[in-house]
Amino acid sequence: FADGDIIVKVGQQDANADFAYSDLGGDFVNCSFGFAPSIPMPTWPNVGLGAAVFLNLTDELHFKTGIYDGATSVGPPIGGRSGFRTLGDSGAMSLAEISFTPQFGKDRDLPGTYKLGAWYHSADFDNLETGFGTLSGAWGYWAGADQMLWKEPGSDEEPQGLGVFMQYGWAPADRSAVNDYYGAGFTYRGAIKSRDTDIVGLGIASAGFSAAETRREDAIELFYKTQITPCVTVQPDVVYIAGPSGVGHDALLIGLRSEIVF
């Protein structure tokens, strides 16, 4: 509506496609770079039935809000939630976010996105502080930033250069398994001459767990995403995780991700 300044979405949705995501963090394999794990939102592969509204208040100021089925995963883990059959059985998940998208630099060619959001879940949650009973409702907030710091001269059509991102999420420790999260990193497109679309990225993440006798899970990831053809990419990736889930032994993961875009 209003020439695209008002958008409404209704149906089964991945809330993380619209809320609390980081554009520059999207190429990392560790899923926490995509969104703060302290937010219990419906996301892939278990999407949720919901409605969301998106408003362009000005060219640089935007607001969005949505409400979704609060159910946990129902049915096959690859299929998503079951829609109307369980709608409302586990409360509702509400999110709201305001974002600022300025253009910095002498030529206004360094785009940035700065976000601040909050969420509320109306269901009952286990009391993690006492170990028995339940608590009514859960809430939290998040903040994030994506900013291009430098653009290579003459790369207007396919912008090349250095970008950084930062993330933070918080939720009350007495009812949230992950009560705080920090993430940051950088990506560089076109770091190697003649490889203008390749991307190299380095990110660090830290999640705090509420359960007793757990430690923080800290992760560092390095990847190089190379464009083999216009529709095929290959991405070698290395992730080191200290304290997986707050209790596990440190782990080193070496992998290769490929993608075909039709």
Side-chain angles (χ1 to χ4, degrees), residues 169-189:
W170 176 89
D174 60 355
R175 65 198 73 191
S176 301
V178 177
N179 68 289
D180 72 331
Y181 167 79
Y182 305 86
F186 78 86
T187 62
Y188 196 111
R189 179 185 292 270

Side-chain angles (χ1 to χ4, degrees), residues 73-94:
S73 175
V74 175
I78 60 171
R81 306 173 190 225
S82 58
F84 292 105
R85 186 173 64 83
T86 60
L87 183 62
D89 288 355
S90 299
M93 175 65 174
S94 304

